[in-house]
Amino acid sequence: MTAQNASEPIGFSLVIPVLNEAAVLPALFERLDDLIVTLDAPVEVIFVDDGSTDETKSLIRTRAAADSRFRLIQLSRNFGHQAAITAGMDLAEGRAVIVMDADLQDPPEVVLEMIAKWRDGFQIVYAERTSRAGESRFKRWTAHLFYKALRRIAAVDIPANVGDFRLVDRQVILAFRQMRERDRYVRGMFAWLGFRQAAVRFERPGRAAGETKYPFFKMVRLGVNGLVSFSDAPLQLALWIGLFVSLGALGYGLYVVIAALIGGHGLVPGWASTMVVVSFLCGLNMMLTGVVGLYVGRIHSEVKARPLYVVDAPETAGQAVVAAKPESAAAPPQAAGRATPAPEALGRATTAPAAQPVFDAYGTSYRGIVQDSVAFSGLDYSFFVRSKAGLLANLFAEHLPDRPAPTVLDVGCGVGALHPLLAPHCGELHGADISSACIEQATRDNPGVTYKAYQGLALPYPDAYFDAVVAICVLHHVPPADWAAFTAELRRVLKPRGLVCVIEHNPFNPATRLSVMRCPFDEDAVLAPRRKTCGLLSEAGFNDVQGRYFVFTPWTAPWARRLERALAPVPLGAQYLAFGRA
């Protein structure tokens, strides 16, 4: 079985969507093997199966069993090529991510040229086709017209003769993950993001085996997505047509008036006036429809919820920053032999030592900021704290009955607002945070609790030290690329059969998103869904992982508690709990 050093970070991720590609996979495996041996960093190959009905899945599973660098992501049904690409990029861990098709029309050998461009400092390297072997004249002609029209009317410059075959820097991937629009045109989305881009030209060969997965109507649908997603021109069309029709009607009306004044020869009584009125009103109606279209276009832009802007900030560990703060600068790590550092966070680099000043800046006012955020969501802060303390105390009693006085660690404890209420339920209570200012404040407020400030991901405690570890609203401060390492660190410091409790904001609750954005150190946070967090705990080695949503209600009546338990599986709550046993 082929394996690579698990301690080394992944240098390159190859994302390959597949749909009924069993005929071409053996040749693809061979070409990928030739490519991988030439690369100077660890590689992962992610196949995303988009609902194949042939032997595609079994062939990839067999290869993955023999070579740990190969992975299979199996979608539950056919979601489409663009969704499959997105799924692969969401799960890719490499410093650079290469997207390519499985049919060998995207030659793996071109990847080496892309990597060379990437190491020159370009963050997106796309493959531009100089020829299109195996395609009909009609398809080449329609493709040429489409790209010409798209470049003319689109709000961004989308390169012509470019598909989804490209290399993308991790900095760009993290920004791309913020764009969750449903009707996706991935190549246009990367053009919208900007960054430093370069082209690698290649002659596109014909398909090696199998049949195309983009017949005519799918191509039309993809083209419509591209036009609609990146241009309001179709909506404005009615406005301009209506304007021209109205002007034509006015011109014709002027002609009728002049003709009537000079004798009216050739005019049918009543016809001219009827046509003028009808044409004018029709044009006016189309103009008003066009005005409505302008507002619909604004709504369309808002619904897509793209970031207002993306800052290219290599001085902040190379990450893409949305509304970034200058305090978030971090020392850039080296990545896969590349001079330009690769990012590990979106909006913040909280796992790096330089992240500490971000929270230190708010250390003295930390509690007030959080109180303001909670109050914005309509909750009383003291009740909010009491509810969390009671929730954790009940979990300790239920899942650690043999440990009546557990040793508990609160990771990311902030100023320790929860600890006066939580300490009576613990034998020993420890708090850890990356902000020394918060730790100093917590030590003054809670002298009976032991606190430590730390930096990076590694917790300053020995293995198997605690009976329970709590992480409340901490995961969204950790870069998504480090989520797995963070949960693994929680597992390391827990005793056997210890309890882990993770409380996080529910990204599906819009009120929660608004509340989180009010915190100056949270406004760019990436919120993990409950299922994702439970999956991270399972991957870290926790057993009996469970998750539930909860709504902090001020009522203590039995009916209110029953209602809250009934709503636990439904993603309505402001936050959720994920817990498991070591």
Side-chain angles (χ1 to χ4, degrees):
M1 178 175 178
T2 304
Q4 59 192 13
N5 190 348
S7 63
E8 292 187 66
I10 300 296
F12 303 105
S13 297
L14 300 176
V15 173
I16 306 175
V18 291
L19 175 62
N20 297 330
E21 299 287 6
V24 77
L25 283 179
L28 176 62
F29 291 153
E30 183 177 345
R31 299 271 289 274
L32 289 176
D33 288 338
D34 293 339
L35 170 66
I36 290 173
V37 297
T38 64
L39 300 179
D40 57 357
V43 179
E44 64 174 355
V45 182
I46 302 174
F47 286 93
V48 184
D49 179 69
D50 192 24
S52 297
T53 56
D54 61 359
E55 297 300 315
T56 297
K57 293 188 288 290
S58 61
L59 289 173
I60 298 173
R61 286 197 190 100
T62 301
R63 182 57 192 264
D67 190 338
S68 63
R69 297 171 299 187
F70 286 71
R71 299 168 56 191
L72 171 64
I73 308 300
Q74 185 175 336
L75 303 186
S76 61
R77 63 171 176 83
N78 178 253
F79 286 89
H81 184 253
Q82 304 293 289
I85 290 175
T86 303
M89 288 192 288
D90 283 346
L91 297 170
E93 299 177 3
R95 307 291 188 181
V97 179
I98 299 99
V99 180
M100 58 188 299
D101 287 337
D103 54 13
L104 292 178
Q105 289 186 285
D106 297 339
E109 296 76 16
V110 177
V111 171
L112 297 175
E113 298 180 50
M114 292 179 170
I115 292 174
K117 288 279 189 181
W118 175 65
R119 285 180 171 150
D120 287 339
F122 293 100
Q123 296 156 294
I124 299 177
V125 184
Y126 52 83
E128 182 179 342
R129 308 156 181 157
T130 58
S131 64
R132 306 166 69 105
E135 295 183 356
S136 66
R137 181 177 298 179
F138 173 77
K139 184 172 182 179
R140 293 196 300 269
W141 178 69
T142 54
H144 172 74
L145 288 182
F146 168 73
Y147 283 115
K148 187 175 181 179
L150 183 62
R151 298 192 73 179
R152 183 176 294 274
I153 69 174
V156 295
D157 185 18
I158 301 176
N161 295 316
V162 173
D164 296 310
F165 186 22
R166 68 189 63 228
L167 179 149
V168 184
D169 185 89
R170 185 157 196 82
Q171 176 181 358
V172 184
I173 287 291
L174 293 172
F176 175 80
R177 289 175 180 172
Q178 298 300 298
M179 303 172 69
R180 308 311 291 180
E181 54 205 72
R182 300 291 178 176
D183 295 317
R184 305 179 75 80
Y185 187 65
V186 170
R187 62 198 74 169
M189 294 165 71
F190 281 121
W192 182 90
L193 282 170
F195 294 98
R196 295 181 296 280
Q197 304 195 19
V200 169
R201 292 173 175 80
F202 76 107
E203 294 184 2
R204 194 185 195 206
R207 168 176 271 273
E211 299 178 352
T212 179
K213 304 308 182 295
Y214 263 112
F216 177 75
F217 288 107
K218 277 193 174 182
M219 290 295 297
V220 170
R221 188 189 314 165
L222 180 66
V224 169
N225 282 343
L227 290 171
V228 173
S229 296
F230 295 95
S231 176
D232 289 337
L235 289 171
Q236 299 173 12
L237 188 61
L239 177 63
W240 291 106
I241 292 177
L243 178 62
F244 286 125
V245 169
S246 296
L247 290 176
L250 289 173
Y252 186 68
L254 182 62
Y255 161 76
V256 170
V257 171
I258 294 174
L261 291 177
I262 63 176
H265 299 293
L267 293 178
V268 178
W271 181 87
S273 59
T274 300
M275 288 301 299
V276 169
V277 171
V278 170
S279 298
F280 178 76
L281 291 178
C282 180
L284 184 62
N285 181 53
M286 294 186 71
M287 288 178 62
L288 294 176
T289 302
V291 172
V292 173
L294 294 178
Y295 286 94
V296 171
R298 301 298 187 272
I299 295 171
H300 184 221
S301 297
E302 293 294 334
V303 169
K304 286 185 288 189
R306 294 175 183 168
L308 290 179
Y309 54 85
V310 179
V311 178
D312 181 9
E315 69 277 8
T316 56
Q319 70 261 31
V321 185
V322 181
K325 300 194 181 312
E327 302 95 349
S328 61
Q334 290 300 320
R338 181 180 176 223
T340 302
E344 288 300 335
L346 179 65
R348 225 168 24 260
T350 57
T351 59
Q356 180 178 330
V358 176
F359 290 90
D360 283 351
Y362 303 107
T364 56
S365 57
Y366 181 95
R367 194 194 309 266
I369 292 171
V370 176
Q371 286 177 343
D372 177 67
S373 176
V374 172
F376 178 77
S377 62
L379 293 174
D380 176 72
Y381 179 73
S382 61
F383 174 76
F384 187 71
V385 172
R386 289 197 308 273
S387 297
K388 284 187 177 178
L391 175 70
L392 294 173
N394 291 337
L395 283 172
F396 296 163
E398 180 181 355
H399 295 279
L400 299 173
D402 56 332
R403 309 177 197 185
T407 302
V408 177
L409 170 64
D410 182 4
V411 180
C413 63
V415 295
L418 198 69
H419 294 170
L421 298 174
L422 191 61
H425 303 281
C426 307
E428 293 180 21
L429 179 58
H430 298 253
D433 200 280
I434 64 171
S435 169
S436 57
C438 286
I439 289 298
E440 290 172 6
Q441 181 69 40
T443 303
R444 288 193 295 268
D445 293 346
N446 306 298
V449 181
T450 304
Y451 292 98
K452 287 186 179 181
Y454 71 102
Q455 297 177 355
L457 283 175
L459 295 172
Y461 302 98
D463 295 352
Y465 188 80
F466 297 99
D467 297 305
V469 174
V470 176
I472 302 175
C473 301
V474 176
L475 190 62
H476 67 274
H477 291 152
V478 178
D482 289 337
W483 283 350
F486 174 73
T487 51
E489 187 66 4
L490 300 184
R491 174 69 177 80
R492 180 186 67 79
V493 298
L494 266 179
K495 295 178 181 178
R497 298 299 296 162
L499 178 68
V500 65
C501 305
V502 177
I503 295 177
E504 266 301 325
H505 300 293
N506 176 17
F508 302 117
N509 187 315
T512 296
R513 282 190 172 275
L514 292 174
S515 177
V516 170
M517 289 174 62
R518 288 183 65 85
C519 286
F521 43 78
D522 277 347
E523 59 188 11
D524 305 320
V526 179
L527 303 182
R530 177 182 64 89
R531 183 173 297 181
K532 174 66 174 179
T533 303
C534 290
L536 288 168
L537 295 180
S538 297
E539 292 172 6
F542 290 100
N543 301 309
D544 304 322
V545 175
Q546 302 177 47
R548 64 171 182 260
Y549 297 94
F550 47 85
V551 182
F552 293 116
T553 57
W555 305 292
T556 57
W559 67 265
R561 294 293 171 235
R562 286 196 297 270
L563 176 63
E564 189 161 343
R565 284 195 297 270
L567 294 175
V570 183
L572 297 175
Q575 296 184 330
Y576 64 83
L577 166 71
F579 62 96
R581 303 294 296 274

